Amino acid sequence: MGLLQLQTKRGISLDVPKEEVLKAIGACQWWLKGKWLKANKIKHPIQKLYQSSDWASDVELFLIGSSILELRKHGTNKNAFLDKRKEFLGEQSGNQVGYLFELLTALLFSMGGNKVELLPASAAGYDLDVKTSKGVPIQVSCKVCQPSKEYSKFITYAEHERDKFFAAYKSLGVHGVNCVIERVNTEGSPTPYLHSHQYKVMLGNSLFQPYKVQSENRDMLGVFSKSPLPPYAISFSRKYPSYSFVLSSPINTEHELRRLHSQVDKANKGFKKISNNKKLNLTVIRLPHYLSVKLAKEKIEAEFNKGRFTNTSAVICIQTHIVGDENRESVRINTTYQMILNPSAIVSWPIGKGALKMVQPLGNITTETPAFQIAGQTVNKEYYVFSDMYESVVVPSGTSVGSSNIPGLNQIFEYQGMDIAVKAFKIPSEFKFL
């Protein structure tokens, strides 16, 4: 990776020793108070995360707690965490997500062998003081480019379509169906795609052969089909649902890149306030999961080449996904990194001082956003994607099932005597905080 040297501590994110997980969750309890985290009346997203039982929540809590443990081990003052707690527990979602990203970024640098100081909430201009093993001082600004309002509108729209699909699916009593819808033309506001009775017609036809449909104004394309049985199953459960629903829509690229520009600009203005021409200024920015790192890099490089953001020495883009392989044999975390140097910076990045070292605590590392597939086809465009799936199948008595050999399975139900039905939870496309 050239000037950015990355390593990973673990390749498989599901394989964390229980002792480490408990220590990390204990650190979260120390920071936010265990009694408050367990409260019946949930007032904060972190309480919901703490009380969730899914794998993604455990991963997030592990990373948050690991960050606290790592920083405390290397001398970060207890007051620095207590100072940030008040800010984190406030009602502004930007502060909540932003501070957790600060913690995660500090963990990446600290595990890479750098000295990291967590700055108090009152500090102006940037978030972390980092000194590399070569003694190079870096002022780090952590920015989160959160999902946009356009993305939120799309999700609301997609959920409405999913509900109509599910109502039709349930009324027909069919088992194991797929529904894939793509918005081809995104001009104007999304409008309801199909009436409920049309879903019924298409689902009924899909039981005999794959059924394609295009809306009257040709802005939507839908494919309905019967799901293939997984190799470990003998039939679909008649008691529990089995379906998949995917809806995609091209992103508003211009709007999303303007939002990215705004975050880099904010960090640059922060660096300008402190006006220290002896230290490197680095912006670490978390991208929304739907915007490819390639597009983000091209946008930032274009701005740098125009002589903009001169108080910023470099930008590192980070993006995390939960990914699976084509054979559904593994589920893991994939984190994408790209470092972009600013040739017009007042303080240039010291190429001769060696690579900046960072360590990713879980999962795989790539330099490109992982390819996304819809209905088995790789998608090469920038898309907002909504997906929902529920798999319940009957397997022969004695079949070994569970997260150890079939990732994503978390519950087993007795079904017709010796058979069992397996319910799979939805593998999320993104984390809530990280």
Side-chain angles (χ1 to χ4, degrees), residues 46-93:
I46 196 72
Q47 290 173 304
K48 185 175 182 180
L49 187 76
Y50 184 83
Q51 295 180 34
S52 298
S53 59
D54 62 273
W55 166 73
S57 298
D58 290 344
V59 168
E60 293 202 75
L61 290 171
F62 171 75
L63 290 174
I64 295 167
S66 295
S67 301
I68 296 171
L69 291 171
E70 177 75 13
L71 291 171
R72 288 297 305 274
K73 182 174 72 174
H74 290 283
T76 299
N77 192 287
K78 175 182 177 181
N79 291 331
F81 292 102
L82 300 182
D83 181 54
K84 285 285 189 178
R85 183 168 66 193
K86 183 177 180 181
E87 181 181 0
F88 174 70
L89 294 181
E91 295 181 358
Q92 294 187 13
S93 62

Side-chain angles (χ1 to χ4, degrees), residues 412-430:
I412 299 175
F413 296 89
E414 293 184 2
Y415 181 72
Q416 289 186 353
M418 296 300 292
D419 288 338
I420 53 178
V422 180
K423 184 180 79 171
F425 71 90
K426 175 187 172 186
I427 298 173
S429 59
E430 59 175 324

Side-chain angles (χ1 to χ4, degrees), residues 317-337:
C317 293
I318 298 180
Q319 185 180 60
T320 301
H321 292 88
I322 301 174
V323 299
D325 64 16
E326 293 180 359
N327 299 320
R328 299 178 63 193
E329 292 179 354
S330 66
V331 179
R332 61 187 182 277
I333 297 173
N334 187 90
T335 305
T336 304
Y337 290 84

Side-chain angles (χ1 to χ4, degrees), residues 4 98 101-102 104-106 108-109 126-128 130 138-145 260 263-264 267-268 271 281-287 300 312 314-319 335-340 349 356 358:
L4 181 62
F101 185 60
E102 284 180 37
L104 178 61
T105 304
L108 302 177
F109 280 115
Y126 64 107
D127 305 301
L128 304 172
V130 174
I138 308 173
Q139 298 172 145
V140 179
S141 178
C142 303
K143 296 295 180 186
V144 176
C145 193
L260 173 64
Q263 292 298 324
V264 178
N268 188 72
F271 291 136
N281 293 328
L282 172 66
T283 299
V284 181
I285 186 165
R286 193 193 82 176
L287 302 178
I300 295 170
T312 303
V315 171
I316 293 178
C317 293
I318 298 180
Q319 185 180 60
T335 305
T336 304
Y337 290 84
Q338 274 289 356
M339 187 172 186
I340 307 109
W349 197 267
L356 175 62
M358 300 173 75

Side-chain angles (χ1 to χ4, degrees), residues 92-136:
Q92 294 187 13
S93 62
N95 287 343
Q96 298 164 6
V97 177
Y99 180 57
L100 290 186
F101 185 60
E102 284 180 37
L103 277 182
L104 178 61
T105 304
L107 175 65
L108 302 177
F109 280 115
S110 183
M111 292 181 68
N114 307 285
K115 184 178 179 181
V116 182
E117 182 180 350
L118 190 67
L119 298 183
S122 58
Y126 64 107
D127 305 301
L128 304 172
D129 266 322
V130 174
K131 184 173 283 188
T132 70
S133 59
K134 299 287 186 180
V136 179

Side-chain angles (χ1 to χ4, degrees), residues 25-39 46-47 50 78 82 85 89:
I25 292 177
C28 294
Q29 293 173 333
W30 166 82
W31 180 46
L32 297 172
K33 306 298 182 186
K35 186 176 180 181
W36 178 82
L37 287 167
K38 299 173 186 175
I46 196 72
Q47 290 173 304
Y50 184 83
K78 175 182 177 181
L82 300 182
R85 183 168 66 193
L89 294 181

Side-chain angles (χ1 to χ4, degrees), residues 182-432:
E182 178 184 349
R183 290 190 70 219
V184 181
N185 179 11
T186 57
E187 295 296 327
S189 301
T191 54
Y193 173 36
L194 295 167
H195 296 294
S196 295
H197 74 274
Q198 292 175 298
Y199 273 107
K200 286 186 179 181
V201 171
M202 287 185 292
L203 284 173
N205 286 328
S206 72
L207 299 180
F208 305 103
Q209 60 182 4
Y211 190 82
K212 293 184 179 181
V213 64
Q214 192 163 26
S215 59
E216 292 181 1
N217 59 1
R218 296 185 175 275
D219 68 345
M220 303 288 285
L221 178 66
V223 179
F224 297 78
S225 63
K226 183 77 171 175
S227 299
L229 272 172
Y232 48 82
I234 57 176
S235 67
F236 289 104
S237 170
R238 294 186 174 277
K239 187 175 181 181
Y240 303 101
S242 281
Y243 68 86
S244 67
F245 177 89
V246 178
L247 195 152
S248 64
S249 177
I251 73 170
N252 186 334
T253 307
E254 184 178 341
H255 174 74
E256 298 294 349
L257 291 178
R258 279 201 305 268
R259 297 178 65 248
L260 173 64
H261 180 282
S262 175
Q263 292 298 324
V264 178
D265 187 45
K266 285 180 184 177
N268 188 72
K269 288 176 179 177
F271 291 136
K272 189 175 182 180
K273 287 180 182 179
I274 52 179
S275 301
N276 189 330
N277 294 336
K278 296 180 180 180
K279 294 183 179 180
L280 295 171
N281 293 328
L282 172 66
T283 299
V284 181
I285 186 165
R286 193 193 82 176
L287 302 178
H289 67 283
Y290 52 77
L291 182 66
S292 74
V293 170
K294 181 176 181 291
L295 264 188
K297 181 183 178 183
E298 289 172 353
K299 173 65 175 177
I300 295 170
E301 282 181 335
E303 297 302 308
F304 281 170
N305 291 332
K306 292 174 184 177
R308 294 174 179 163
F309 308 133
T310 55
N311 293 284
T312 303
S313 305
V315 171
I316 293 178
C317 293
I318 298 180
Q319 185 180 60
T320 301
H321 292 88
I322 301 174
V323 299
D325 64 16
E326 293 180 359
N327 299 320
R328 299 178 63 193
E329 292 179 354
S330 66
V331 179
R332 61 187 182 277
I333 297 173
N334 187 90
T335 305
T336 304
Y337 290 84
Q338 274 289 356
M339 187 172 186
I340 307 109
L341 303 187
N342 188 355
S344 306
I346 295 172
V347 182
S348 300
W349 197 267
I351 297 177
K353 289 286 186 177
L356 175 62
K357 295 181 180 180
M358 300 173 75
V359 170
Q360 175 65 30
L362 290 176
N364 293 359
I365 296 170
T366 60
T367 57
E368 297 288 340
T369 300
F372 189 83
Q373 289 191 348
I374 298 179
Q377 300 297 314
T378 300
V379 178
N380 295 316
K381 299 177 182 178
E382 308 289 326
Y383 270 90
Y384 301 130
V385 177
F386 172 88
S387 63
D388 187 17
M389 66 85 68
Y390 206 109
E391 180 186 88
S392 299
V393 294
V394 179
V395 299
S397 177
T399 300
S400 175
V401 294
S403 59
S404 61
N405 65 336
I406 307 175
L409 305 183
N410 69 338
Q411 291 185 10
I412 299 175
F413 296 89
E414 293 184 2
Y415 181 72
Q416 289 186 353
M418 296 300 292
D419 288 338
I420 53 178
V422 180
K423 184 180 79 171
F425 71 90
K426 175 187 172 186
I427 298 173
S429 59
E430 59 175 324
F431 290 117
K432 296 180 179 71

